[in-house]
Amino acid sequence: MPRKYIIRPWWLLSILAVLIGLFSSAVTVHGAATKTPKKAYAVSAVLPPNQVDGALNYWQLSLTPNQTQTLQLQVANIGSEPITVDVYANNGTTDSNPQIIYSQAATSVYPKTATSFASLVVGARKKSVTLAPAAVKVVEFTIRAPAKQFSGMILGGLYSEADVTTTATPIRQKVAYQRSVVLQGSNINTERPKLKFGTVQPVAEAGKLALRLVTSNDAPMYAYALTTDLTVTNRGTKKRVIHTTAQNGKVAPQSRFNWQFPIHNLPAGAYRMTLVVAGNNVARQTITRNFTIEQSQVQALADYSSPNRRNMIIVVILVILIIILMIAGWVLIYNKGRRHGERLWDKLKH
C-alpha cells in the first residue's frame, strides 16, 4: 500500500525559515562583496595655522576680541553615486545619555544670558554641497569672537548629514558626522563645571521604564569622564530593587538636559533614587530623590508588550483566508461528489 505524505503546517514554517535564512545569507554575502557603496561620504577638519593643538581632529582656537576666523570642513564623496551633504554650525549641547552633540539648531544656550557659539557665526548656519563620485569640496563658515574676553570655553561644532538611501523605501537612511569647535577663553585651566540636579520623573517609553532627571551645567566648562552609580529602593520595604552603573559621560558647558537612566519595569509604588555622580573635573556628588510609579504607567508598559492592533489585523486576515480556502475546498469536493453521483445514476438508469 503506498505511503501517504501529509504536509504539516510546522513543516511549511521550517522550510520558510530555511529559505529566509538562505536569502539573508545571500544578501549579506553580496553586500560584503561590494567594495564601493552607492552613497557614502567622509569629512575632515582643515586646521588653520593658529590651531592650538595640531594633533587634534577638531578646532581648538584662542581668539582675541572681535577676531574673525574661517572654519573649513573638507567633504569627500567616497561612493559611486552623487550625494548632497548638509553642514550646520551649531552649539554644543547634551543629550540624555549624556554625550555632547552638535545636531540641535537652537541658537541659545543655558542660561540664555551666556554667549553661544551660534551667535558668533557670521551669515548662514546651514550650507549644502553636492558632490559627484570621488569629488572633494570644502565648506566654510566664518565666526567672530565676542567683543569682550570671556572665561572658560565656548563650545560649538560643525555637524554634517546626508541621505544615503539607495532603494525605494519610506524609511530614510542618513549618515551624520560632527567636529567640535572649542574657543578658549581666560581661566581655561581653572574653570570647573557646575552640575545641578532638579526633579526626577519616571517615564514609560517604547515598553521600557526610565528615570528622567533634570540636569544643568551653567558653567563655561564641559564635564567629562563622568561615572554614575544608581540605586533604587522601595520606600515601603526598604529593599534595593535596582543597582546600575555607567561611565564615560560628557556634559556640554552652559547646557540643560534630561539625564535618562533606564531601569527595570517596576510595579506601581513609592521609590527612592540615590545617584552618585563623579568625573575627572567634577567633584563627587550624591543625589537623592523620591518618586512614584503610577498604575497607569504600569498599564501602559503592559499594553505595549501585548500584541498590537496591526498583529491582530494580520491574524484576522489569516483566519479569513483559511476559512475561504476551507469553503472553496468543500465546494470542490461537493461538486466532484455530485458529478460522480450523477454519472452513477445515469448508469443505473441504462
Side-chain angles (χ1 to χ4, degrees):
M1 183 176 179
R3 187 176 178 181
K4 294 183 179 180
Y5 292 90
I6 301 175
I7 299 177
R8 305 288 186 184
W10 53 84
W11 290 6
L12 294 175
L13 292 175
S14 299
I15 294 172
L16 181 60
V18 171
L19 291 175
I20 291 175
L22 292 174
F23 176 76
S24 300
S25 299
V27 170
T28 302
V29 171
H30 175 73
T34 303
K35 294 182 179 180
T36 304
K38 290 184 178 180
K39 286 192 174 184
Y41 75 102
V43 301
S44 60
V46 182
L47 302 180
N50 60 331
Q51 169 79 6
V52 174
D53 187 348
L56 302 176
N57 61 356
Y58 59 88
W59 294 272
Q60 186 180 31
L61 305 169
S62 181
L63 307 179
T64 58
N66 284 322
Q67 179 182 345
T68 59
Q69 178 72 51
T70 299
L71 305 175
Q72 295 182 318
L73 184 72
Q74 181 175 278
V75 184
N77 185 352
I78 58 175
S80 60
E81 294 183 359
I83 191 170
T84 298
V85 181
D86 297 325
V87 185
Y88 305 81
N90 291 335
N91 294 322
T93 58
T94 311
D95 66 9
S96 60
N97 287 330
Q99 292 295 318
I100 297 175
I101 59 174
Y102 305 99
S103 57
Q104 303 301 312
T107 57
S108 62
V109 291
Y110 177 86
K112 291 185 177 181
T113 54
T115 301
S116 69
F117 173 79
S119 67
L120 305 179
V121 178
V122 179
R125 289 175 48 217
K126 176 187 176 182
K127 297 185 179 181
S128 299
V129 59
T130 300
L131 300 94
V136 178
K137 292 185 179 180
V138 173
V139 179
E140 294 186 348
F141 291 90
T142 299
I143 60 173
R144 179 178 288 111
K148 296 181 180 180
Q149 183 64 41
F150 59 93
S151 179
M153 67 165 59
I154 297 175
L155 183 62
L158 299 189
Y159 177 82
S160 65
E161 185 179 69
D163 190 331
V164 296
T165 309
T166 57
T167 57
T169 172
I171 301 176
R172 314 307 298 174
Q173 297 177 347
K174 294 186 177 182
V175 172
Y177 298 102
Q178 58 186 25
R179 292 291 184 270
S180 304
V181 182
V182 180
L183 303 183
Q184 296 185 348
S186 62
N187 305 323
I188 187 67
N189 295 320
T190 58
E191 192 74 51
R192 292 291 181 267
K194 298 180 178 66
L195 297 184
K196 297 179 181 179
F197 303 94
T199 58
V200 68
Q201 179 69 35
V203 291
E205 294 180 344
K208 296 182 180 180
L209 193 64
L211 295 179
R212 185 175 291 169
L213 178 65
V214 178
T215 308
S216 64
N217 173 27
D218 58 4
M221 178 54 62
Y222 79 114
Y224 66 99
L226 292 175
T227 62
T228 59
D229 188 297
L230 174 70
T231 301
V232 176
T233 56
N234 187 305
R235 278 191 281 163
T237 63
K238 308 300 181 182
K239 291 183 178 180
R240 187 177 75 175
V241 293
I242 290 174
H243 178 245
T244 61
T245 60
Q247 55 187 357
N248 297 326
K250 296 183 182 69
V251 175
Q254 296 170 325
S255 65
R256 183 182 176 94
F257 65 101
N258 291 320
W259 199 334
Q260 197 148 299
F261 301 89
I263 60 175
H264 305 309
N265 290 351
L266 299 172
Y271 298 90
R272 174 169 296 164
M273 177 198 80
T274 303
L275 176 68
V276 180
V277 179
N280 278 19
N281 61 345
V282 174
R284 181 186 178 92
Q285 300 181 64
T286 300
I287 304 96
T288 302
R289 297 286 187 274
N290 292 334
F291 65 93
T292 302
I293 297 178
E294 304 293 342
Q295 183 59 42
S296 58
Q297 293 175 308
V298 175
Q299 185 60 48
L301 295 171
D303 292 342
Y304 187 91
S305 301
S306 63
N308 57 37
R309 181 174 296 182
R310 184 179 63 179
N311 290 339
M312 292 301 296
I313 292 175
I314 293 175
V315 171
V316 171
I317 293 175
L318 289 176
V319 171
I320 293 175
L321 289 175
I322 291 173
I323 293 174
I324 292 174
L325 290 174
M326 291 177 64
I327 293 175
W330 180 84
V331 170
L332 289 174
I333 295 173
Y334 173 79
N335 288 335
K336 185 176 180 180
R338 188 180 65 177
R339 287 194 297 270
H340 178 73
E342 290 175 350
R343 287 196 297 269
L344 182 60
W345 175 251
D346 290 340
K347 289 180 180 179
L348 291 174
K349 286 196 300 181
H350 292 85

